[in-house]
Amino acid sequence: MDDVTAILDHMNPAQREAVSAPQGNMLVLAGAGSGKTRVLVHRIAWMMQAEGLSPYALLAVTFTNKAAREMRTRLEALLGISLRNVWVGTFHSIAHRLLRTHWQDARLPQHFQIIDSDDQLRLVKRLLKDYRVDDERFPPRQVQSFISGCKEEGLRPHQVDAHGDAYMAQMVELYERYQLTCERGGLVDFGELLLRSLELLRDNPALLAHYRERFGHVLVDEFQDTNTLQYAWLKLLTGMSTPMTVVGDDDQSIYGWRGARIENIRRFEQEFPGTKTVRLEQNYRSTSAILDAANALIRHNTERMGKELWTAGNRGEPISVYAGFNDLDEARFIVDTIREKVDEGINRREMAILYRSNAQSRVLEETLIRQGVPYRIYGGQRFYERLEIKNALAYLRLLLNRDDDASLERVINVPARGIGTRTVEILRTRARETGVSLWQSLHDALLDASLKGRAATAVRAFADLIERLDNDTAGLALHEIIDHVIETSGLIEHHRSERGEKGQARVENLEELVTAARAFTQGESFEPPEAGEGALALEAFLSEAALNAGDHEADEFEDCVQLMTLHSAKGLEFPVVFIAGVEEGLFPHKMSMEEPGRLEEERRLCYVGLTRAMRKLYLTHAELRRLHGKETFQRPSRFLRELPEEYLEEVRLRGQISRPVTTRPTPGLSRQTSVDGGGELPSLSLGQRVRHPVFGEGVILNAEGEGERARVQVSFEGEGDKWLVLGFAKLTPL
Ligand SMILES: Nc1ncnc2c1ncn2[C@@H]1O[C@H](COP(=O)(O)OP(=O)(O)OP(=O)(O)O)[C@@H](O)[C@H]1O
Ligand SMILES: [Mg+2]
């Protein structure tokens, strides 16, 4: 009995009520950090201990595999028993388990293979070719997302109505052929896992009855992010008679773009009989400054179910807002602050840097590496290890060295240009036998005609492409070389045609590589900046990129700063959180600014970000950012304005010299600050503190123009930002 009540220890009355309520449908609707996940775990423990529910009668669905592992560990700790085969996992992993167990009823071969989206795309391309479908009118990625979309809505080819439209009819036919190929090959894609397991249960009443009987209770975390198919799956599995506990927060629904339906929360209340709704209103995670600011932000959304959150905690420190003069300065501020905190005794793993777009990690990573701060990217890869970046670098390596076999193999058919594995195999064998590089063997094979027909044409086109890239980029600056290569090779287009967030992220990363190159030649990126021009610069850049990719891999137990996108931070918490790039166009992301619905989703994402912080939150933005290879002035995000000022504190530039303007010319900005006439001017640096006879003390934010018209932007305390012509303004460096 002691054990049982221990489960209710450290719980507030509302939580206790939710944990110990008799089994029946329950919706826990509550804001961030109110203990929803904790209630879910404790409710499971309670049902096992107080009500004798067998661990195997339990089905708990989490959003990520990591969350599933954590839930299992927490349960084991609470119950003091090992829980190896309990049904705790993501929708996909649970569906997979069902299909593996009942492969015959699911009409699958015993050893069916799961294919990821890359395999899926390859398959689509092959189909288009086999059936001679014009891949310009039917771009493979579009076909792929059509198929996935149908599956997410639970539709099989025969259920899709083309409404007499020839284009649609062709799409449906492709879906059908795709499906047939999968069936024949025993292949199951991600969407298929869920749809197939839904059909498995639907078409096998005995089996369905078995599972309805077997599962005494079904629990779902992060319910606000379930999609139509998942909702249908839950409804079928429980038959609305097996009780369900779902927990969620409409304000944290951030996967609308991937088909998640917030309405599922409302539907649940209406459709599942006798649903008891519990609201948790006390937040245990954050200081009141953080929580109240987050509450104020989310109040700007109109589509809300309405919730209140309070905390008994201290007000804590204000939220620090830092305006970097550029993205590099922003990164430097973050990393400096992290190092200070480490000196104060805070573990690195207690600190997280969150950002909206994947590509933002590049500058942060480089700064962390340069300062020797170990970091880990959660739910993603390091910048220089990302697929699209490795592909781009492989092209660049080939320009310098055609005999780089690894690079050649990597990109010979990326983007697809009809060079199959058989052709590559022929080249490889030949290279091995004659002791030459693949590049050489490719030419030999073309000469003696051992490659023929389409293969020969495709291989020749590839060789020509590399030569052409080399010729065309001669004499160009490093960033222009890279820009040209990613455009002309078709790499960027390849990802541009990929719809959805993933393709978008890859395009952004490639553009970020151009930015990295530009920063590199200006000595702002890696060190030391002895880059030189053209091929020399390229060589130096490639070696630095290789260094940044390798070697720094932290071991599993190393104390690391956590980097991740805001999306992958869902459900997690950290004592210290930095959100970087809080700027219009970046966050909210430009793609979402036109549609009110998408903008609200961005605001929810911001709410998720803010509420990850327990003790201290930093919001940073840069006034000048290199984006997509171009420098742009950035405005602070509207989300910053939506936070009440009373919770914010502006961090002042520290007045230290960070970047002498004279040695680091920036396109569009001045090459030097010294002006002719008017005598010698002191050499000034961005970030430097200066005094003006009228405006007082300030910090140099920006500089532009040359000669007499050189101007600097100075942020004066009390006077705001001002642009001053250097020749006239009497600035004294401090
Ligand atoms: N009654 C309580 N007493 C002390 N700490 C609590 C209590 N309830 C929750 N917590 C703590 O508060 C933090 C937030 O809890 P939890 O992660 O379960 O919240 P959540 O509602 O799931 O948040 P999110 O919406 O971000 O997923 C955790 O550290 C948890 O241990
Ligand atoms: Mg949670």
Short mmCIF file of all heavy atoms in Angstrom, two decimals, residues 552-598:
data_model
loop_
_atom_site.label_atom_id
_atom_site.label_comp_id
_atom_site.label_asym_id
_atom_site.label_seq_id
_atom_site.Cartn_x
_atom_site.Cartn_y
_atom_site.Cartn_z
N HIS A 552 35.49 15.93 -34.01
CA HIS A 552 34.92 16.61 -32.85
C HIS A 552 33.79 15.80 -32.24
O HIS A 552 33.15 16.25 -31.33
CB HIS A 552 34.41 18.00 -33.24
CG HIS A 552 35.50 18.83 -33.83
ND1 HIS A 552 36.43 19.47 -33.06
CD2 HIS A 552 35.81 19.09 -35.11
CE1 HIS A 552 37.28 20.11 -33.85
NE2 HIS A 552 36.92 19.89 -35.10
N GLU A 553 33.55 14.65 -32.80
CA GLU A 553 32.44 13.85 -32.32
C GLU A 553 32.62 13.55 -30.83
O GLU A 553 33.62 12.97 -30.41
CB GLU A 553 32.38 12.54 -33.12
CG GLU A 553 31.03 11.86 -33.06
CD GLU A 553 29.88 12.82 -33.30
OE1 GLU A 553 29.58 13.13 -34.46
OE2 GLU A 553 29.27 13.25 -32.30
N ALA A 554 31.69 14.01 -30.08
CA ALA A 554 31.79 13.80 -28.65
C ALA A 554 31.39 12.37 -28.32
O ALA A 554 30.57 11.79 -29.01
CB ALA A 554 30.83 14.75 -27.95
N ASP A 555 32.01 11.79 -27.32
CA ASP A 555 31.56 10.45 -26.98
C ASP A 555 30.27 10.56 -26.19
O ASP A 555 29.89 11.62 -25.72
CB ASP A 555 32.66 9.64 -26.28
CG ASP A 555 32.83 10.02 -24.83
OD1 ASP A 555 31.82 9.98 -24.10
OD2 ASP A 555 33.95 10.36 -24.44
N GLU A 556 29.63 9.42 -26.10
CA GLU A 556 28.26 9.40 -25.61
C GLU A 556 28.09 10.06 -24.24
O GLU A 556 27.07 10.65 -23.94
CB GLU A 556 27.82 7.94 -25.54
CG GLU A 556 26.35 7.75 -25.57
CD GLU A 556 25.99 6.29 -25.38
OE1 GLU A 556 26.81 5.41 -25.75
OE2 GLU A 556 24.92 6.04 -24.85
N PHE A 557 29.12 9.94 -23.43
CA PHE A 557 28.96 10.41 -22.06
C PHE A 557 29.55 11.79 -21.83
O PHE A 557 29.51 12.32 -20.75
CB PHE A 557 29.58 9.40 -21.09
CG PHE A 557 28.97 8.05 -21.25
CD1 PHE A 557 29.65 7.03 -21.90
CD2 PHE A 557 27.68 7.80 -20.79
CE1 PHE A 557 29.07 5.79 -22.07
CE2 PHE A 557 27.09 6.57 -20.95
CZ PHE A 557 27.78 5.55 -21.60
N GLU A 558 30.15 12.32 -22.89
CA GLU A 558 30.76 13.62 -22.70
C GLU A 558 29.69 14.68 -22.41
O GLU A 558 28.59 14.64 -22.94
CB GLU A 558 31.55 14.01 -23.95
CG GLU A 558 32.41 15.23 -23.69
CD GLU A 558 33.40 15.48 -24.80
OE1 GLU A 558 33.43 14.71 -25.78
OE2 GLU A 558 34.14 16.47 -24.68
N ASP A 559 30.07 15.61 -21.56
CA ASP A 559 29.15 16.67 -21.19
C ASP A 559 29.08 17.69 -22.34
O ASP A 559 30.04 18.40 -22.59
CB ASP A 559 29.69 17.33 -19.91
CG ASP A 559 28.75 18.38 -19.39
OD1 ASP A 559 27.54 18.32 -19.71
OD2 ASP A 559 29.22 19.27 -18.67
N CYS A 560 27.96 17.71 -23.04
CA CYS A 560 27.87 18.49 -24.28
C CYS A 560 26.73 19.50 -24.24
O CYS A 560 25.66 19.21 -23.71
CB CYS A 560 27.53 17.56 -25.44
SG CYS A 560 28.88 16.59 -25.98
N VAL A 561 26.95 20.63 -24.86
CA VAL A 561 25.87 21.58 -25.09
C VAL A 561 24.92 20.94 -26.12
O VAL A 561 25.35 20.27 -27.04
CB VAL A 561 26.42 22.90 -25.65
CG1 VAL A 561 25.29 23.85 -26.03
CG2 VAL A 561 27.35 23.55 -24.64
N GLN A 562 23.62 21.16 -25.93
CA GLN A 562 22.65 20.53 -26.82
C GLN A 562 22.16 21.52 -27.87
O GLN A 562 21.68 22.59 -27.52
CB GLN A 562 21.43 20.09 -26.01
CG GLN A 562 21.73 19.41 -24.70
CD GLN A 562 22.01 17.95 -24.88
OE1 GLN A 562 21.27 17.26 -25.57
NE2 GLN A 562 23.09 17.49 -24.31
N LEU A 563 22.31 21.15 -29.13
CA LEU A 563 21.80 22.00 -30.20
C LEU A 563 20.64 21.29 -30.88
O LEU A 563 20.73 20.08 -31.13
CB LEU A 563 22.89 22.24 -31.26
CG LEU A 563 23.75 23.48 -31.15
CD1 LEU A 563 24.62 23.37 -29.92
CD2 LEU A 563 24.59 23.66 -32.39
N MET A 564 19.59 22.01 -31.19
CA MET A 564 18.49 21.35 -31.91
C MET A 564 17.53 22.38 -32.47
O MET A 564 17.55 23.55 -32.08
CB MET A 564 17.73 20.40 -30.98
CG MET A 564 16.97 21.07 -29.87
SD MET A 564 16.50 19.92 -28.57
CE MET A 564 18.01 19.79 -27.65
N THR A 565 16.72 21.93 -33.40
CA THR A 565 15.70 22.84 -33.92
C THR A 565 14.59 22.95 -32.87
O THR A 565 14.46 22.09 -32.00
CB THR A 565 15.06 22.29 -35.21
OG1 THR A 565 14.42 21.05 -34.88
CG2 THR A 565 16.09 22.07 -36.29
N LEU A 566 13.81 23.99 -32.98
CA LEU A 566 12.71 24.17 -32.04
C LEU A 566 11.74 23.00 -32.10
O LEU A 566 11.21 22.57 -31.08
CB LEU A 566 11.98 25.48 -32.35
CG LEU A 566 12.77 26.72 -31.91
CD1 LEU A 566 12.49 27.90 -32.81
CD2 LEU A 566 12.46 27.06 -30.46
N HIS A 567 11.55 22.46 -33.31
CA HIS A 567 10.64 21.32 -33.43
C HIS A 567 11.11 20.13 -32.61
O HIS A 567 10.33 19.46 -31.95
CB HIS A 567 10.47 20.90 -34.89
CG HIS A 567 9.48 21.74 -35.63
ND1 HIS A 567 9.86 22.76 -36.46
CD2 HIS A 567 8.13 21.72 -35.66
CE1 HIS A 567 8.80 23.34 -36.97
NE2 HIS A 567 7.72 22.73 -36.50
N SER A 568 12.42 19.86 -32.66
CA SER A 568 12.84 18.66 -31.92
C SER A 568 12.97 18.91 -30.42
O SER A 568 13.25 17.98 -29.68
CB SER A 568 14.11 18.02 -32.50
OG SER A 568 14.91 18.93 -33.15
N ALA A 569 12.75 20.14 -29.98
CA ALA A 569 12.85 20.40 -28.54
C ALA A 569 11.55 20.09 -27.80
O ALA A 569 11.50 20.13 -26.57
CB ALA A 569 13.23 21.86 -28.31
N LYS A 570 10.52 19.76 -28.56
CA LYS A 570 9.21 19.50 -27.95
C LYS A 570 9.30 18.49 -26.81
O LYS A 570 9.95 17.46 -26.95
CB LYS A 570 8.28 18.96 -29.04
CG LYS A 570 6.84 19.02 -28.65
CD LYS A 570 5.97 18.80 -29.85
CE LYS A 570 5.86 17.33 -30.20
NZ LYS A 570 4.54 17.00 -30.73
N GLY A 571 8.67 18.82 -25.70
CA GLY A 571 8.62 17.86 -24.58
C GLY A 571 9.85 17.88 -23.68
O GLY A 571 9.84 17.30 -22.61
N LEU A 572 10.95 18.54 -24.13
CA LEU A 572 12.19 18.52 -23.34
C LEU A 572 12.28 19.76 -22.45
O LEU A 572 11.54 20.73 -22.62
CB LEU A 572 13.40 18.49 -24.28
CG LEU A 572 13.41 17.38 -25.32
CD1 LEU A 572 14.66 17.49 -26.19
CD2 LEU A 572 13.37 16.01 -24.65
N GLU A 573 13.21 19.75 -21.52
CA GLU A 573 13.44 20.93 -20.68
C GLU A 573 14.92 21.05 -20.36
O GLU A 573 15.64 20.06 -20.27
CB GLU A 573 12.60 20.86 -19.40
CG GLU A 573 12.89 19.67 -18.50
CD GLU A 573 11.91 19.52 -17.34
OE1 GLU A 573 10.82 20.12 -17.37
OE2 GLU A 573 12.24 18.79 -16.39
N PHE A 574 15.39 22.29 -20.23
CA PHE A 574 16.79 22.57 -19.92
C PHE A 574 16.86 23.77 -18.97
O PHE A 574 16.12 24.73 -19.15
CB PHE A 574 17.57 22.93 -21.19
CG PHE A 574 17.44 21.93 -22.28
CD1 PHE A 574 16.43 22.05 -23.23
CD2 PHE A 574 18.31 20.85 -22.35
CE1 PHE A 574 16.29 21.12 -24.23
CE2 PHE A 574 18.17 19.90 -23.36
CZ PHE A 574 17.16 20.04 -24.29
N PRO A 575 17.78 23.72 -18.02
CA PRO A 575 17.92 24.86 -17.11
C PRO A 575 18.21 26.17 -17.86
O PRO A 575 17.65 27.20 -17.53
CB PRO A 575 19.09 24.45 -16.22
CG PRO A 575 19.03 22.96 -16.21
CD PRO A 575 18.59 22.57 -17.58
N VAL A 576 19.09 26.11 -18.86
CA VAL A 576 19.44 27.33 -19.58
C VAL A 576 19.14 27.13 -21.07
O VAL A 576 19.55 26.14 -21.66
CB VAL A 576 20.94 27.66 -19.43
CG1 VAL A 576 21.29 28.94 -20.19
CG2 VAL A 576 21.31 27.78 -17.96
N VAL A 577 18.39 28.05 -21.65
CA VAL A 577 18.02 27.92 -23.06
C VAL A 577 18.37 29.20 -23.83
O VAL A 577 18.12 30.30 -23.35
CB VAL A 577 16.51 27.62 -23.21
CG1 VAL A 577 16.06 27.75 -24.67
CG2 VAL A 577 16.18 26.23 -22.69
N PHE A 578 18.96 29.01 -24.99
CA PHE A 578 19.19 30.12 -25.91
C PHE A 578 18.31 29.88 -27.13
O PHE A 578 18.32 28.78 -27.67
CB PHE A 578 20.64 30.13 -26.41
CG PHE A 578 21.65 30.36 -25.33
CD1 PHE A 578 22.12 29.30 -24.56
CD2 PHE A 578 22.14 31.64 -25.08
CE1 PHE A 578 23.07 29.51 -23.56
CE2 PHE A 578 23.08 31.85 -24.08
CZ PHE A 578 23.55 30.79 -23.32
N ILE A 579 17.56 30.90 -27.55
CA ILE A 579 16.88 30.78 -28.84
C ILE A 579 17.54 31.78 -29.77
O ILE A 579 17.54 32.99 -29.50
CB ILE A 579 15.37 31.04 -28.72
CG1 ILE A 579 14.76 30.09 -27.68
CG2 ILE A 579 14.68 30.85 -30.07
CD1 ILE A 579 13.26 30.22 -27.50
N ALA A 580 18.13 31.28 -30.84
CA ALA A 580 18.93 32.14 -31.71
C ALA A 580 18.14 32.52 -32.96
O ALA A 580 17.27 31.77 -33.41
CB ALA A 580 20.21 31.41 -32.11
N GLY A 581 18.44 33.68 -33.49
CA GLY A 581 17.83 34.09 -34.76
C GLY A 581 16.37 34.49 -34.62
O GLY A 581 15.55 34.13 -35.46
N VAL A 582 16.06 35.22 -33.56
CA VAL A 582 14.67 35.63 -33.35
C VAL A 582 14.43 36.89 -34.20
O VAL A 582 14.44 38.01 -33.71
CB VAL A 582 14.39 35.89 -31.85
CG1 VAL A 582 12.90 36.07 -31.62
CG2 VAL A 582 14.90 34.71 -31.03
N GLU A 583 14.26 36.65 -35.49
CA GLU A 583 14.17 37.74 -36.47
C GLU A 583 13.02 37.48 -37.44
O GLU A 583 12.70 36.34 -37.73
CB GLU A 583 15.47 37.78 -37.30
CG GLU A 583 16.69 38.17 -36.48
CD GLU A 583 17.97 37.54 -37.02
OE1 GLU A 583 18.06 37.33 -38.24
OE2 GLU A 583 18.86 37.23 -36.20
N GLU A 584 12.45 38.57 -37.94
CA GLU A 584 11.41 38.44 -38.95
C GLU A 584 11.97 37.69 -40.16
O GLU A 584 13.09 37.97 -40.60
CB GLU A 584 10.96 39.84 -39.42
CG GLU A 584 10.08 40.57 -38.43
CD GLU A 584 8.73 39.90 -38.24
OE1 GLU A 584 7.93 39.82 -39.19
OE2 GLU A 584 8.48 39.46 -37.11
N GLY A 585 11.21 36.79 -40.68
CA GLY A 585 11.65 36.06 -41.86
C GLY A 585 12.36 34.76 -41.52
O GLY A 585 12.38 33.83 -42.30
N LEU A 586 12.95 34.76 -40.33
CA LEU A 586 13.63 33.55 -39.89
C LEU A 586 12.72 32.85 -38.88
O LEU A 586 12.50 31.65 -38.93
CB LEU A 586 14.95 33.97 -39.24
CG LEU A 586 16.07 32.96 -39.19
CD1 LEU A 586 16.39 32.47 -40.58
CD2 LEU A 586 17.32 33.59 -38.57
N PHE A 587 12.21 33.65 -37.95
CA PHE A 587 11.30 33.15 -36.94
C PHE A 587 10.40 34.30 -36.49
O PHE A 587 10.84 35.10 -35.68
CB PHE A 587 12.11 32.60 -35.77
CG PHE A 587 11.29 31.83 -34.78
CD1 PHE A 587 10.15 31.14 -35.17
CD2 PHE A 587 11.65 31.79 -33.43
CE1 PHE A 587 9.40 30.43 -34.25
CE2 PHE A 587 10.90 31.08 -32.51
CZ PHE A 587 9.78 30.40 -32.92
N PRO A 588 9.19 34.45 -37.00
CA PRO A 588 8.50 33.53 -37.89
C PRO A 588 9.20 33.37 -39.24
O PRO A 588 9.71 34.33 -39.78
CB PRO A 588 7.12 34.17 -38.08
CG PRO A 588 7.31 35.60 -37.77
CD PRO A 588 8.37 35.65 -36.73
N HIS A 589 9.19 32.15 -39.68
CA HIS A 589 9.80 31.80 -40.96
C HIS A 589 9.04 32.48 -42.09
O HIS A 589 7.83 32.60 -42.04
CB HIS A 589 9.73 30.28 -41.13
CG HIS A 589 10.67 29.78 -42.18
ND1 HIS A 589 10.35 29.78 -43.51
CD2 HIS A 589 11.92 29.25 -42.08
CE1 HIS A 589 11.37 29.30 -44.20
NE2 HIS A 589 12.33 28.97 -43.36
N LYS A 590 9.80 32.92 -43.10
CA LYS A 590 9.15 33.70 -44.17
C LYS A 590 8.05 32.92 -44.88
O LYS A 590 7.07 33.49 -45.34
CB LYS A 590 10.19 34.19 -45.18
CG LYS A 590 11.02 33.11 -45.83
CD LYS A 590 12.00 33.74 -46.82
CE LYS A 590 12.83 32.71 -47.55
NZ LYS A 590 13.59 31.78 -46.66
N MET A 591 8.20 31.60 -44.91
CA MET A 591 7.20 30.79 -45.60
C MET A 591 5.85 30.84 -44.91
O MET A 591 4.84 30.45 -45.47
CB MET A 591 7.63 29.33 -45.66
CG MET A 591 9.02 29.11 -46.16
SD MET A 591 9.04 28.85 -47.91
CE MET A 591 8.49 27.15 -47.97
N SER A 592 5.85 31.27 -43.65
CA SER A 592 4.60 31.17 -42.91
C SER A 592 3.99 32.54 -42.65
O SER A 592 2.98 32.65 -41.99
CB SER A 592 4.85 30.48 -41.58
OG SER A 592 5.80 31.22 -40.87
N MET A 593 4.65 33.60 -43.15
CA MET A 593 4.21 34.93 -42.74
C MET A 593 2.94 35.40 -43.45
O MET A 593 2.25 36.26 -42.95
CB MET A 593 5.33 35.93 -42.89
CG MET A 593 6.25 35.82 -41.68
SD MET A 593 7.86 36.56 -41.82
CE MET A 593 7.56 38.13 -42.43
N GLU A 594 2.66 34.81 -44.59
CA GLU A 594 1.48 35.28 -45.33
C GLU A 594 0.17 34.72 -44.79
O GLU A 594 -0.84 35.38 -44.77
CB GLU A 594 1.60 34.93 -46.81
CG GLU A 594 2.07 36.11 -47.65
CD GLU A 594 3.55 36.05 -47.94
OE1 GLU A 594 3.91 35.22 -48.77
OE2 GLU A 594 4.33 36.80 -47.33
N GLU A 595 0.25 33.48 -44.35
CA GLU A 595 -0.99 32.84 -43.92
C GLU A 595 -1.18 32.97 -42.42
O GLU A 595 -0.32 32.55 -41.66
CB GLU A 595 -0.91 31.34 -44.20
CG GLU A 595 -1.26 30.92 -45.58
CD GLU A 595 -1.02 29.43 -45.72
OE1 GLU A 595 -1.68 28.66 -45.01
OE2 GLU A 595 -0.14 29.05 -46.50
N PRO A 596 -2.31 33.51 -41.99
CA PRO A 596 -2.53 33.67 -40.55
C PRO A 596 -2.42 32.35 -39.80
O PRO A 596 -1.86 32.29 -38.71
CB PRO A 596 -3.95 34.23 -40.46
CG PRO A 596 -4.30 34.69 -41.83
CD PRO A 596 -3.41 34.02 -42.80
N GLY A 597 -2.94 31.29 -40.41
CA GLY A 597 -2.91 29.99 -39.74
C GLY A 597 -1.48 29.53 -39.48
O GLY A 597 -1.14 29.05 -38.41
N ARG A 598 -0.64 29.71 -40.49
CA ARG A 598 0.75 29.29 -40.35
C ARG A 598 1.47 30.17 -39.34
O ARG A 598 2.35 29.72 -38.61
CB ARG A 598 1.49 29.38 -41.70
CG ARG A 598 0.99 28.43 -42.77
CD ARG A 598 1.50 27.01 -42.59
NE ARG A 598 2.94 26.90 -42.48
CZ ARG A 598 3.75 26.58 -43.47
NH1 ARG A 598 3.26 26.33 -44.65
NH2 ARG A 598 5.06 26.47 -43.28
#
